């Protein structure tokens, strides 16, 4: 064997070894410790260390320096722009990775301020929500389709609601009709994924045009990973799911349906009229000629009723033709709560407390305020009224359809709607 052949052989073997090493390393990071809903004592902020730093110090450090860079730039920005600057006094960020544990173990916090007590209550609320979710994910008597599917078996297209911000290590699963426009705005600003007309990343969430907020090309979502990472995309997802702070906002499922109906069928919306109102009217109203455009239908006062909408949801043909539209698709199908270990579960019903708490948890509360909502929000108290005209049997079937969302997120069964 000549010297050059030997050299080639060494190079080839070396490369093979490196590739194997990388694959094994990724496997370790990706699957070891990737326990679903088992580690609830871990620190609230994944950036603050704990067991997570031990697996991959390099990634953690890169990540930390990313955060530092962001915070620096944000601080610089905040001092030059009064609009974004919080008017509230700057609060103490939640201290250290162990503060929660200390509190739970009876740490004396009597000397703390009202504000800190509020933060503690919020942490306990989060613990409660996560425990409820964990309990039902583990409870084998409680079942629903896809519940026991592994993360690897979730098709890519069902991961299209998970928005990733690599700059701060945040993942948000958006649920339409649950303040998602504003959280998407926040994600765009954090990840600098969209440039304004001057070519500068948007820094004020409220300046982002609504159509851009909902344009999927403004966001990096899990279903796009294959383009970037090829066959390593699942590994990358798992690494990010393990390292990043994952949050979700949920809402009472029946109230969410009312809200979806109001915004997509009571307001003139050409796309929703063509895709959904026409099939609903054709199937469930006795009209022989259904108007072909929203404009015509609205001038004639022809709209699907809430009851026809419910009929459409219960009709087996609907799901056979295509999966539920995201505005009424169940949260468990959008966000896979038994496969993804969410660090923060917010509720629309307590948005005013949960949004600041999440920003505190992300250490962004002094830099950033959640945009206020000006929309005419559907109130939970309207539920009885809206469902009073829906036959009891339909209400019971509808509950079954949305039961996992009620149970997993701790919404009480609406008994008064389910009995005579
Ligand atoms: C498990 O789920 C079943 C069915 O929903 C319920 O009756 C039971 O109380 C649950 N068990 C626990 C421990 O939560
Ligand atoms: C979404 O954004 C992309 C890139 O900016 C643009 O090409 C596309 O037309 C937009 N889509 C819609 C529906 O506005
Ligand atoms: C449609 O017609 C059938 C029979 O003609 C009737 O029973 C039903 O109540 C009608 N539905 C509506 C929504 O008018
Ligand atoms: C809010 O919605 C309700 C019911 O859809 C409607 O009656 C009311 O006029 C709306 N209010 C505003 C300010 O748009």
């Amino acid at each position: 064997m000549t010297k050059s052949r030997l050299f080639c052989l060494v190079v080839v073997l070396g490369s093979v070894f490196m590739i194997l090493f990388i694959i094994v390393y990724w496997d370790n990071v990706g699957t070891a410790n990737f326990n679903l809903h088992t580690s609830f004592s871990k620190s609230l902020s994944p950036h603050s260390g704990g067991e997570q730093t031990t697996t991959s110090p390099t990634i953690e450090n890169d990540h930390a320096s990313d955060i530092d860079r962001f915070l620096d730039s944000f601080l610089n920005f905040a001092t030059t722009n009064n609009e974004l600057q919080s008017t509230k006094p700057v609060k103490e960020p939640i201290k250290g990775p162990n503060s929660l544990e200390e509190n739970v173990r009876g740490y004396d916090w009597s000397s703390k301020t009202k504000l800190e007590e509020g933060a503690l209550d919020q942490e306990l609320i989060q613990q409660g929500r996560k425990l409820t979710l964990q309990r039902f994910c583990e409870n084998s008597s409680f079942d629903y389709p896809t519940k026991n599917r592994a993360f690897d078996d979730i098709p890519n297209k069902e991961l299209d609601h998970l928005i990733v911000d690599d700059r701060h290590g945040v993942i948000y699963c958006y649920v339409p009709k649950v303040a998602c426009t504003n959280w998407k705005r926040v994600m765009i600003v954090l990840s600098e994924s969209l440039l304004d007309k001057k070519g500068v990343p948007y820094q004020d969430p409220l300046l982002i045009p609504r159509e851009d907020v909902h344009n999927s090309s403004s966001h990096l979502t899990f279903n796009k990973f294959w383009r970037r990472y090829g066959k390593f995309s699942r590994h990358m997802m798992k690494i990010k799911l393990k390292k990043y702070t994952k949050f979700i906002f949920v809402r009472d499922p029946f109230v969410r349906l009312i809200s979806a109906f109001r915004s997509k069928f009571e307001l003139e919306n050409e796309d929703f009229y063509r895709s959904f109102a026409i099939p609903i009217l054709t199937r469930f109203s006795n009209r022989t000629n259904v108007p072909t455009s929203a404009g015509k239908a609205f001038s004639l006062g022809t709209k699907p009723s809430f009851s026809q909408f419910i009929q459409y949801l219960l009709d087996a043909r609907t799901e056979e033709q295509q999966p539920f539209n995201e505005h009424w698709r169940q949260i468990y199908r959008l966000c896979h709560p038994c496969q993804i270990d969410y660090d923060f579960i917010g509720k629309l019903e307590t948005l005013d407390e949960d949004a600041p708490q999440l920003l505190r948890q992300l250490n962004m509360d002094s830099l950033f305020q959640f945009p206020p909502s000006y929309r005419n929000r559907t109130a939970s108290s309207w539920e009885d009224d809206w469902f009073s005209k829906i036959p009891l049997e339909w209400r019971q079937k509808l509950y079954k359809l949305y039961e996992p969302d009620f149970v997993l997120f701790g919404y009480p069964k609406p008994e008064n709607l389910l009995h005579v």
Side-chain angles (χ1 to χ4, degrees), residues 303-362:
K303 294 181 218 172
S305 65
F306 187 58
S307 157
Q308 288 163 351
F309 173 59
I310 301 298
Q311 242 180 313
Y312 168 82
L313 296 178
L314 297 176
D315 186 350
R317 285 174 288 178
T318 305
E319 195 73 54
E320 277 163 21
Q321 284 167 5
Q322 54 175 319
F324 274 7
N325 175 270
E326 60 172 3
H327 290 84
W328 45 86
R329 195 181 310 162
Q330 294 89 335
I331 300 171
Y332 77 87
R333 292 169 67 192
L334 297 171
C335 295
H336 320 289
C338 286
Q339 282 78 16
I340 291 172
D341 187 3
Y342 287 98
D343 300 287
F344 187 93
I345 302 169
K347 293 194 170 185
L348 192 79
E349 292 82 358
T350 50
L351 181 65
D352 293 343
E353 294 86 52
D354 291 356
Q357 168 64 11
L358 174 62
L359 293 176
R360 261 200 299 276
Q361 205 163 310
L362 297 170

Side-chain angles (χ1 to χ4, degrees), residues 53-67:
T53 40
T54 54
T55 33
S56 166
T58 31
I59 290 186
E60 188 72 25
N61 287 344
D62 282 357
H63 185 201
S65 67
D66 266 358
I67 296 173

Side-chain angles (χ1 to χ4, degrees), residues 262 266 376 382:
R262 287 180 64 213
E266 289 201 331
N376 189 353
W382 301 356

Side-chain angles (χ1 to χ4, degrees), residues 31-49:
T31 52
N33 294 325
F34 188 65
N35 302 326
L36 294 170
H37 299 289
T38 49
S39 159
F40 273 80
S41 59
K42 75 174 181 188
S43 71
L44 282 171
S45 161
H47 315 314
S48 47

Side-chain angles (χ1 to χ4, degrees), residues 127-361:
Q127 290 286 305
R129 288 176 188 170
K130 287 190 276 189
L131 280 170
T132 301
L133 180 59
Q134 180 193 18
R135 193 159 55 97
F136 283 104
C137 287
E138 285 170 355
N139 181 345
S140 54
S141 338
F142 172 71
D143 205 11
Y144 60 83
T146 73
K147 184 186 176 200
N148 296 310
R149 180 168 68 172
F151 178 76
D152 281 331
D153 297 329
I154 303 174
N156 248 347
K157 63 174 188 303
E158 292 181 32
L159 295 170
D160 60 346
H161 282 61
L162 289 150
I163 300 179
V164 181
D165 165 31
D166 283 319
R167 300 183 76 248
H168 313 91
V170 180
I171 295 176
Y172 164 49
C173 184
Y174 74 92
V175 178
K177 307 318 299 171
V178 191
C180 88
T181 307
N182 278 341
W183 285 114
K184 281 179 170 180
R185 290 177 191 278
V186 169
M187 292 302 282
I188 289 174
V189 171
L190 291 181
S191 59
E192 301 193 342
S193 58
L194 193 67
L195 306 180
D196 63 17
K197 288 203 181 70
K198 287 186 226 134
V200 180
Y202 280 103
Q203 292 188 304
D204 180 347
L206 292 174
L207 294 181
I208 308 170
R210 204 182 159 77
E211 60 272 22
D212 290 345
V213 173
H214 291 294
N215 184 333
S216 74
S217 62
S218 306
H219 304 278
L220 171 63
T221 44
F222 267 8
N223 62 317
K224 297 178 185 165
F225 269 34
W226 63 271
R227 282 187 225 160
R228 208 183 260 208
Y229 303 111
K231 66 176 175 175
F232 293 114
S233 60
R234 287 281 157 161
H235 282 298
M236 293 310 288
M237 288 178 203
K238 286 185 195 170
I239 292 172
K240 289 173 195 221
L241 282 173
K242 193 162 111 58
K243 298 272 169 199
Y244 290 5
T245 303
K246 304 160 291 293
F247 75 97
I248 182 178
F249 270 79
V250 300
R251 184 178 197 176
D252 179 291
F254 278 5
V255 180
R256 181 170 163 243
L257 284 180
I258 300 172
S259 175
F261 177 80
R262 287 180 64 213
S263 72
K264 300 304 167 199
F265 298 111
E266 289 201 331
L267 304 175
E268 192 171 325
N269 181 320
E270 201 59 54
D271 288 344
F272 274 80
Y273 183 80
R274 285 172 195 267
S275 307
F276 302 104
I278 291 180
I280 291 174
L281 290 168
T282 309
R283 272 191 233 166
F284 306 114
S285 78
N286 286 341
R287 300 181 61 97
T288 45
N289 50 347
V290 172
T292 52
S293 76
K296 279 186 214 157
F298 274 70
S299 61
L300 293 169
T302 308
K303 294 181 218 172
S305 65
F306 187 58
S307 157
Q308 288 163 351
F309 173 59
I310 301 298
Q311 242 180 313
Y312 168 82
L313 296 178
L314 297 176
D315 186 350
R317 285 174 288 178
T318 305
E319 195 73 54
E320 277 163 21
Q321 284 167 5
Q322 54 175 319
F324 274 7
N325 175 270
E326 60 172 3
H327 290 84
W328 45 86
R329 195 181 310 162
Q330 294 89 335
I331 300 171
Y332 77 87
R333 292 169 67 192
L334 297 171
C335 295
H336 320 289
C338 286
Q339 282 78 16
I340 291 172
D341 187 3
Y342 287 98
D343 300 287
F344 187 93
I345 302 169
K347 293 194 170 185
L348 192 79
E349 292 82 358
T350 50
L351 181 65
D352 293 343
E353 294 86 52
D354 291 356
Q357 168 64 11
L358 174 62
L359 293 176
R360 261 200 299 276
Q361 205 163 310

